[in-house]
Amino acid sequence: MQFLLAISLLVLLHELGHFTFAKLFKVRVSRFYLFFNPKFHIASTYDTWVRRLLRLSPTVVPMKKDEDGKEKKEYVGTEYGLGWLPLGGYCAIDGMIDETNQKLSEVVKPWEFRAKPTWQRLLIMVGGVLVNFLLALFIYSMVLFYWGETYVPLSGMTKGMEFNEQAKALGFQDGDILISTDQKAFKKADGDMFRMICNAKQVNVLRQGQPVTINMSGDLSLIDMAQTVPIFARPLIPAEVDSVMPGTPAETIGLMKGDKILAANNKEVKSFYGFTDELSRLNDVLAAAKTEADSLQARQLTLVYQRGETLDTVTTTLTKDLKLGFMPVQVYEPVTVEYGFLASFPAGVKYGWNTLSSYVSDLKYLFSSDGVKQLGGFGAIGSLFPAAWDWHQFWLMTAFLSIILAFMNILPIPALDGGHVLFLVYEMITRRKPSEKFMIKAEYVGFGILILLMVVANLNDILRWLKIM
């Protein structure tokens, strides 16, 4: 539901960007639809009532002759509609070669897209991208103004990070506090942290109170870093109980605040994430279970924990989603940076620009076999939204999707806005228009590329759901 609401808002405003510039330059928009409407639509109306309300004249009133040879006025307005296929939307601009596949007559009419100067056509084409980009920056600004920015600084993680074998082979040690690279200081444990490590020639850490420099290659793979289990680096959180959720196995076996978990199924546990790693290994066992008895056996957990000076060993059955049911102790205090109304705008622009640059830098992985496997469709995007409604996360995800939608649409691929912009720039430089025949063929090629990417992305979602990939 959150994803559908976000994408509907973004598509509506994107198409409104094209629509606004088209109307500004007196180009007829015959249809404006949210969602696609093959064969039929849910609802539609013409803009007659809008014009009557605002006392505006019709967009175009051309003169035509009927069968008797008498002249008559033909109303030319916009049909607004709601389609039934929620995969996007469209703004059908007269005289433009696009996915609506409209037939263009040999006579160029003055209200058509193709009749307008190049600079006007260019603004009409970038209108949607411009709206999405500015919308993302505005949302980020308002999120920072209303909620501020809350995070745990890496420099404040006094117990440091825990690293996997790949990281330890490079020279990192459990407990290292990440300080900076040769380029800039670390801020928080997020995707930027991994990108900085990937591109760094040196990483500076604090090890047992002493500064240590680790030399790096500067060309680590972000995909390899993220795919490795356990992940390259994560905050070191003690496997110590802070609270127990009622009705869970943790409550049944009597776990209490302050208990420290030392081992799970005969495997030593050094941190909370180390404990969850042991639980995640049971997933494969559970997936292979063929009977209820096998499933029950797969969910068995033998736990060794310490309470004060006493050690105890208990065996319990985990929930069906392999949860024990406790929250770890919170050892790090987050900080919140607050922004005034005016200060939120430059901060929002910086936040949005960083998001865009990070996304663009990650695109290089798309051209590898592992990168193609990381493509996600509607299911993957929808899963980024939290299960419970959260306005803060909703607006952050909406801004993220808006800025990505803007970037993807400006790519120079025919059938996207960027493809049209490319041909318009060519026309401005050479003073020659590409032929309509060429434009139609290019549109088909671009549309084919988009369909292929959509199929691959959504197929990946299905394969992940089937646990094949």
Side-chain angles (χ1 to χ4, degrees), residues 30 32-33 41 43-50 77-82:
S30 56
F32 185 93
Y33 266 76
H41 48 255
S44 70
T45 183
Y46 286 88
D47 61 0
T48 311
W49 63 274
V50 179
T78 301
E79 177 188 352
Y80 299 91
L82 178 66

Side-chain angles (χ1 to χ4, degrees), residues 137-159:
L137 300 183
F138 178 75
I139 293 175
Y140 280 134
S141 299
M142 291 301 96
V143 166
L144 292 176
F145 170 65
Y146 189 82
W147 284 284
E149 185 180 12
T150 301
Y151 63 97
V152 177
L154 277 175
S155 58
M157 292 185 178
T158 54
K159 294 186 180 296

Side-chain angles (χ1 to χ4, degrees), residues 431-451:
R431 307 285 182 176
R432 290 166 42 193
K433 281 186 180 181
S435 69
E436 289 185 1
K437 186 176 181 181
F438 170 80
M439 294 284 285
I440 291 171
K441 287 183 178 180
E443 194 76 16
Y444 284 140
V445 170
F447 197 70
I449 293 172
L450 296 180
I451 292 296

Side-chain angles (χ1 to χ4, degrees), residues 7 24 38 57 61 79 99-101 121 141 186 199 207 218 224 244 284 297 323 330 332 335-336 371 373 410 427:
I7 204 67
L24 179 65
S57 59
V61 187
E79 177 188 352
E99 68 277 5
T100 59
N101 200 26
R121 284 180 281 140
S141 299
F186 289 108
N199 300 322
R207 181 176 298 166
D224 291 343
V244 175
D284 293 336
Q297 181 61 36
K323 301 294 184 185
Q330 300 298 310
Y332 307 124
V335 299
T336 299
K373 293 177 183 178
I410 204 62
E427 182 183 337

Side-chain angles (χ1 to χ4, degrees), residues 218-240:
D219 59 355
L220 294 180
S221 169
L222 185 62
I223 290 182
D224 291 343
M225 190 178 284
Q227 282 184 332
T228 309
V229 180
I231 199 168
F232 187 91
R234 56 194 178 185
L236 203 163
I237 300 174
E240 181 179 332

